[in-house]
Amino acid sequence: MGEELDDTRARQLAAEVGAATGVGVRCTGYHRHNAVLAAARYVLANGLRVVLLPERRAPVFAYQTWFGVGSKHEDSALTGIAHLFEHLMFKATRAHPAGELDREMERRGTQTNAATWVDWTFYTETLAARGDNLETVIHFEADRMVNLLLDEETFRSEVEVVKNERRMVVEDAITGELSEQLYAHAFTVHPYRWPTIGAMAHLERATVADLERFYRAHYAPNNATVVIAGDLEPGATLTALARAYGPLPAQPSPSPAWAREPRQSAPRQVVLERPIVAPQLLLGFHAPASAEPDFGAVEMLGEILVTGDNGRLYHRLVSEEGVATDVSGSLAPFAEPGLYELLVALRPGADPLAAAALVEEELGRLARDLDPAERDKAQAGLELAWLDSLKDAEGCAEALGQLETNYAAFDRAFTLGERWQDRSVAELRATAAAVFGPDNATTVIARPAGELW
């Protein structure tokens, strides 16, 4: 058994590592979830945050690097840069040629991965906890945080990759186009209105100089969180991190203040004619940010609406009326107020306006006659999904990293279940009326080209 962390030991460790490495290290948070899961947050003198979760359910560790940069941090005239960087970060650095990181990780039995969204970008590897695997990952990740080489040839090649990706997931995929249109019309001032993958014209307009500025502003230790969860020795791990990352310089970080999206006061609708066989319907409703009190209530309402064959909308549109083949819903855990989305795949020949009216009717009924059994089932389903997300090191690291990046609150990963507790039926009905009212809806309809209405 390795060393376990309690609150006192976590704080002692910061002083010991600081003395051993000459790097300022502070312990700024600790949270114990149960006998197995406890995590501590450390901050280096250059601003890098480190979250360590030692847990030995399996001899593996997940290593994730989270940057507080996503598509909302871009210039409205130069979108897609954050996602483009996700690609470029796997290219050459001053110390390593392009492809060496991927080859080394594959040699050690794993693959690298990454993701970009509206609020963040993160990079991840999961490896066996043996040999010099941890030291090797630390070396590569600290290196590419500040030493990426940005040259014209690499940039132009990767831009073409991203442009092809955009063609595949947006221009040649009706669900991607529906989503892009939804956010473009539901948001009028907030940067959530543009797509993470970027506009084609902006990708074509970008320059290496643009990339250099973006990299220096956002890829710096003071805008990053390293999360390591799994079979690790806290003292040795923190020491290795301090030695690798401690010398990296902090950078002046932009502190944007985004305009709050004004309250929507009337329904909005967009109709697209496309070469498709059957119509599709996408609705978006302005919803709370993931840290706001009502977020959990909207999650529960979503469970009641679309989860399982007995979900209200699935039962009404698919089983009862027979106008749709599928209904799905999602509430993104954005750092700022986002959307609850409903996607309805209609049968060929179905009337999308009539289907939208059925959806509106069911949403109105939700605000009037929701019952305790539905509430209890929704709570149970959400709690199970949350607990399931913590079953391995990678899931734990992702939960810790996202919440620390969005809110400087890694500990919320262990208390998410509280947001579904003690929700009264009256409270859920009131939230349904506020969120799912017709004036708060933006509807995007895709219908077969040339079809008569």
Side-chain angles (χ1 to χ4, degrees):
M1 289 291 292
E3 180 181 17
E4 300 299 325
L5 282 183
D6 59 24
D7 196 2
T8 300
R9 180 58 187 143
R11 297 180 190 282
Q12 289 174 342
L13 199 58
E16 292 172 5
V17 171
T21 62
V23 174
V25 182
R26 294 178 295 125
C27 178
T28 62
Y30 175 86
H31 185 90
R32 175 164 291 283
H33 177 56
N34 55 28
V36 176
L37 301 179
R41 181 211 294 120
Y42 299 90
V43 180
L44 305 190
N46 59 11
L48 179 75
R49 288 176 286 174
V50 173
V51 178
L52 299 182
L53 189 156
E55 59 94 354
R56 297 173 177 84
R57 292 174 291 182
V60 301
F61 68 89
Y63 191 108
Q64 298 184 358
T65 308
W66 290 74
F67 292 93
V69 58
S71 55
K72 77 178 182 186
H73 299 88
E74 298 166 343
D75 187 314
S76 61
L78 198 61
T79 62
I81 299 300
H83 172 252
L84 176 58
F85 254 100
E86 178 196 318
H87 288 245
L88 292 169
M89 284 288 282
F90 291 92
K91 301 303 177 181
T93 70
R94 293 184 179 91
H96 298 285
E100 185 174 348
L101 169 61
D102 287 335
R103 289 191 296 272
E104 185 61 29
M105 291 301 104
E106 288 176 5
R107 188 179 73 81
R108 293 169 184 267
T110 191
Q111 292 184 323
T112 56
N113 208 344
T116 306
W117 212 4
V118 293
D119 301 309
W120 43 254
T121 303
F122 83 99
Y123 302 85
T124 180
E125 301 92 6
T126 298
L127 285 151
R130 63 169 179 251
D132 65 347
N133 280 351
L134 178 61
E135 291 77 6
T136 300
V137 173
I138 290 174
H139 167 76
F140 274 102
E141 291 295 353
D143 174 55
R144 67 173 172 169
M145 181 179 285
V146 297
N147 291 322
L148 190 66
L149 291 178
L150 296 169
D151 62 83
E152 189 73 24
E153 181 180 357
T154 301
F155 163 55
R156 291 300 168 194
S157 172
E158 218 53 40
V159 163
E160 290 305 312
V161 172
V162 174
K163 286 163 64 178
N164 284 334
E165 184 179 345
R166 178 183 165 79
R167 293 184 185 102
M168 181 174 65
V169 302
V170 178
E171 295 171 9
D172 295 335
I174 191 61
T175 54
E177 186 179 8
L178 283 169
S179 179
E180 189 167 294
Q181 289 291 325
L182 175 65
Y183 278 81
H185 287 85
F187 289 94
T188 59
V189 297
H190 193 279
Y192 286 166
R193 68 187 185 275
W194 58 74
T196 298
I197 201 166
M200 188 69 81
H202 296 174
L203 293 170
E204 293 172 344
R205 184 188 308 154
T207 67
V208 171
D210 294 325
L211 297 180
E212 287 279 5
R213 285 191 293 271
F214 195 86
Y215 183 53
R216 295 306 165 201
H218 299 290
Y219 278 75
N222 49 309
N223 195 41
T225 300
V226 173
V227 183
I228 311 178
D231 190 357
L232 60 93
E233 293 297 333
T237 300
L238 189 57
T239 299
L241 291 168
R243 286 178 172 151
Y245 288 93
L248 306 184
Q251 298 291 339
S253 293
S255 300
W258 296 284
R260 188 172 181 89
E261 186 66 26
R263 183 177 180 83
Q264 186 171 325
S265 58
R268 300 169 186 168
Q269 185 181 95
V270 181
V271 178
L272 310 173
E273 288 195 5
R274 295 294 182 267
I276 54 178
V277 174
Q280 295 210 36
L281 184 64
L282 181 63
L283 301 96
F285 301 85
H286 290 279
S290 62
E292 294 180 14
D294 286 344
F295 186 85
V298 179
E299 286 183 299
M300 294 177 75
L301 293 168
E303 285 283 300
I304 293 166
L305 286 171
V306 301
T307 299
D309 292 350
N310 291 322
R312 287 191 178 202
L313 282 173
Y314 187 94
H315 180 76
R316 180 72 186 276
L317 298 174
V318 178
S319 304
E320 190 175 285
E321 301 286 347
V323 298
T325 59
D326 194 24
V327 180
S328 59
S330 62
L331 176 62
F334 289 174
E336 297 173 61
L339 297 178
Y340 181 87
E341 300 177 51
L342 282 170
L343 177 63
V344 182
L346 295 169
R347 293 188 181 278
D351 181 351
L353 293 179
L358 290 174
V359 171
E360 183 177 335
E361 181 182 323
E362 281 299 313
L363 295 176
R365 192 169 69 85
L366 187 66
R368 296 190 302 273
D369 65 0
L370 186 148
D371 64 56
E374 290 179 300
R375 176 201 59 195
D376 295 345
K377 180 182 176 183
Q379 179 179 339
L382 289 165
E383 286 180 343
L384 177 60
W386 162 57
L387 293 171
D388 188 59
S389 73
L390 301 178
K391 69 183 179 183
D392 58 28
E394 189 170 8
C396 286
E398 187 166 338
L400 294 165
Q402 180 176 320
L403 288 160
E404 182 64 22
T405 303
N406 279 357
Y407 299 114
F410 72 94
D411 51 306
R412 290 184 189 172
F414 303 122
T415 60
L416 288 183
E418 295 175 3
R419 67 190 185 193
W420 309 304
Q421 294 173 0
D422 303 321
R423 297 281 185 178
S424 69
V425 168
E427 180 185 2
L428 293 178
R429 288 175 179 171
T431 302
V435 172
F436 294 119
D439 287 346
N440 193 38
T442 299
T443 304
V444 185
I445 296 169
R447 66 186 185 94
E451 187 177 87
L452 297 177
W453 283 31

